[in-house]
Amino acid sequence: MGKPRIEEWTQLRSLAFLAIVMQHSIAEYIYRADIEPADSTMLTMMYHMTRFGTPTFVFLSAVLMFYNYDGKLNYFAFIRKRLETVFVPFLFWTIVYWLYVRAFTPSFWQKGGQDWGSLLRELVQPQTGYQLWFILMIIQFYICFPLLAALYRGAKNKINLLDEGRRTGSVLAVLAFAGACYIILLYLSYYRMGYWAGRIGSPWAALVTHRSYSFLMYGFYFLLGAACAANIGNWRAWCTKLLPWCGMVFLGMYIRLGYDVLRGSGETVNLNISTYLKPSTFIIIMAQMLFLYGLLLLLRERNQAFLRLLSWIGTYSFGGYLAHALVIYVIAYFTRPLNLAGSHLPFALLTFALTVLASLGISYALSRMPGARWIVGAGRRKPLRGNKVNDYRGDSRTVFGAGNR
């Protein structure tokens, strides 16, 4: 019958999707030459409200995998399903973005469309479909998942032999140690690895330069997902107890991160100062992600209409994620020729709203078509039933997302 569906995961996925669309909507306007300082500052402040997006998708991808595959695993069946519902849609949308961008490039047609080398590069390092880098990263996790799942089962079995107090202490100790190691890794990534790339030879220099594509650089979020999947009850209790503390940490780091970006930027804001692979950004992401998780738990019995809306958005968020950059491209085709001085903030918000509506609409429509799994990863789903947010059947689909790194 499958495991019970944990509805807050779908709702958290929807919040992460909205955050990612907001990031890319902001990025469309914040670097324009005619932007005024007030708009630039406001967009920067909004941007730092969305940093949890992609790491939350990493966390949710891991938690669903460990939750649904905690028994014996048929590796070939597992990989085949991932190829069908993840890699094939990646190929499809890579070609869509490649063709869309080149359709408005006269030199491409003058050459008879013989630009296949750039298409091959898109399959390794996505640029036109800039959000698709996430799939290349998460596929690495799928390839290694059978080994990780075996380690997960072994650790879970050993920890379950302990009494409740020692069990909780052991998990917290492992997470604390792993978190400290991860902060060291991020410190080296942000402050040292750029220097290393200039001094070491190939192929190591290329690996260091493109380290944001490696799933190892997001390893702590995978471990966090495993901890959540192992004991949902304890995880919910922790998030609820930590809710006020996470809120305060987020507020402090929000101010700190915004100050760092504004201080470190020149005439144009440099959002890369708050990249995911930076220790201070990691702290704000963790605080906000745990805060939102706890907040969703508190809302379970208070605002069912809002939670149902989040669940619907989360259901179609993968297709929306695949399509949203294309929607932004279409909107930009009309907005880039305009002089928007003094209006970049409202146009960014308008772009966000239109992109959410259009991309989810595309995802919904495609999911109801034959062969939808090859395009958006899943076909038409039966409507959810039940009165409680956690009484649905298991949903084995994996969660995805993308964003600025």
Side-chain angles (χ1 to χ4, degrees):
M1 294 297 294
K3 291 186 174 183
R5 179 176 177 179
I6 309 301
E7 191 65 15
E8 71 251 24
W9 294 346
T10 306
Q11 295 155 3
L12 187 61
R13 173 173 59 192
S14 71
L15 295 177
F17 166 73
L18 295 174
I20 288 163
V21 175
M22 178 61 80
Q23 285 181 28
H24 293 154
S25 299
I26 291 171
E28 174 59 35
Y29 293 93
I30 198 168
Y31 292 118
R32 296 193 181 186
D34 60 343
I35 191 170
E36 295 183 356
D39 282 339
S40 182
T41 301
M42 286 300 298
L43 289 177
T44 300
M45 294 172 64
M46 290 171 54
Y47 180 78
H48 287 130
M49 295 289 293
T50 67
R51 300 310 286 142
F52 71 97
T54 297
T56 298
F57 273 113
V58 178
F59 163 76
L60 290 172
S61 296
V63 74
L64 277 176
M65 297 298 287
F66 287 114
Y67 181 71
N68 287 300
Y69 293 97
D70 61 348
K72 291 185 177 180
L73 184 66
N74 185 322
Y75 182 75
F76 293 104
F78 172 82
I79 291 297
R80 184 180 67 250
K81 183 177 181 181
R82 305 281 85 72
L83 291 176
E84 291 177 354
T85 59
V86 180
F87 190 68
V88 173
F90 165 77
L91 293 177
F92 174 83
W93 286 96
T94 296
I95 295 173
V96 168
Y97 282 101
W98 181 78
L99 287 174
Y100 176 82
V101 171
R102 278 150 186 79
F104 297 95
T105 306
S107 61
F108 174 72
W109 300 109
Q110 292 170 4
K111 297 178 182 178
Q114 304 298 319
D115 192 18
W116 305 113
S118 63
L119 177 58
L120 293 176
R121 288 192 295 273
E122 290 290 327
L123 296 175
V124 179
Q125 188 178 353
Q127 295 295 322
T128 54
Y130 47 79
Q131 82 282 26
L132 300 180
W133 72 271
F134 185 86
I135 293 185
L136 293 179
M137 185 272 290
I138 208 68
I139 285 175
Q140 301 168 47
F141 172 62
Y142 295 154
I143 294 173
C144 299
F145 181 74
L147 173 60
L148 299 176
L151 295 174
Y152 168 78
R153 290 193 299 270
K156 184 178 178 181
N157 291 336
K158 289 185 178 181
I159 290 177
N160 285 340
L161 296 176
L162 305 175
D163 58 70
E164 181 64 26
R166 294 178 60 194
R167 189 184 310 160
T168 301
S170 298
V171 173
L172 292 177
V174 169
L175 290 177
F177 177 76
C181 293
Y182 187 65
I183 289 177
I184 295 173
L185 176 63
L186 295 183
Y187 173 84
L188 295 175
S189 172
Y190 191 79
Y191 295 103
R192 295 288 183 268
M193 289 187 184
Y195 172 75
W196 296 349
R199 296 182 61 86
I200 59 179
S202 299
W204 307 112
L207 292 175
V208 172
T209 301
H210 298 97
R211 59 191 177 276
S212 61
Y213 287 86
S214 171
F215 87 105
L216 296 175
M217 298 302 298
Y218 306 88
F220 184 78
Y221 302 109
F222 290 113
L223 178 62
L224 205 65
C228 176
N231 194 320
I232 306 299
N234 279 351
W235 179 267
R236 286 172 168 169
W238 293 346
C239 289
T240 303
K241 291 178 181 178
L242 291 174
L243 185 62
W245 301 103
C246 289
M248 289 188 288
V249 172
F250 167 74
L251 180 60
M253 293 306 301
Y254 175 75
I255 296 172
R256 164 69 185 276
L257 214 58
Y259 178 73
D260 286 346
V261 170
L262 293 176
R263 183 184 61 178
S265 302
E267 294 183 1
T268 302
V269 169
N270 181 10
L271 296 180
N272 288 326
I273 292 176
S274 57
T275 175
Y276 292 134
L277 305 183
K278 182 180 181 181
S280 56
T281 308
F282 166 68
I283 295 174
I284 193 175
I285 288 170
M286 286 300 304
Q288 190 175 14
M289 185 172 70
L290 296 177
F291 176 82
L292 290 174
Y293 200 113
L295 191 62
L296 288 173
L297 295 176
L298 291 182
L299 291 175
R300 282 188 297 179
E301 305 299 332
R302 292 177 173 83
N303 198 329
Q304 289 295 305
F306 176 66
L307 293 180
R308 284 195 296 269
L309 174 61
L310 289 182
S311 295
W312 187 90
I313 293 174
T315 298
Y316 297 100
S317 60
F318 180 40
Y321 141 71
L322 292 170
H324 82 273
L326 184 62
V327 177
I328 292 177
Y329 277 141
V330 173
I331 295 173
Y333 179 79
F334 297 98
T335 62
R336 286 184 182 180
L338 302 177
N339 184 350
L340 301 179
S343 301
H344 289 82
L345 176 60
F347 266 84
L349 294 174
L350 179 61
T351 297
F352 164 74
L354 293 176
T355 301
V356 168
L357 293 173
S359 60
L360 289 175
I362 292 171
S363 178
Y364 176 78
L366 292 177
S367 70
R368 301 171 73 86
M369 295 175 59
R373 64 183 297 140
W374 306 100
I375 303 174
V376 293
R380 181 177 179 179
R381 301 180 64 203
K382 295 181 180 180
L384 302 177
R385 296 179 180 178
N387 296 321
K388 297 182 180 180
V389 295
N390 291 322
D391 63 357
Y392 308 127
R393 287 188 56 188
D395 180 4
S396 62
R397 297 183 308 158
T398 307
V399 189
F400 304 92
N404 298 333
R405 286 158 284 169

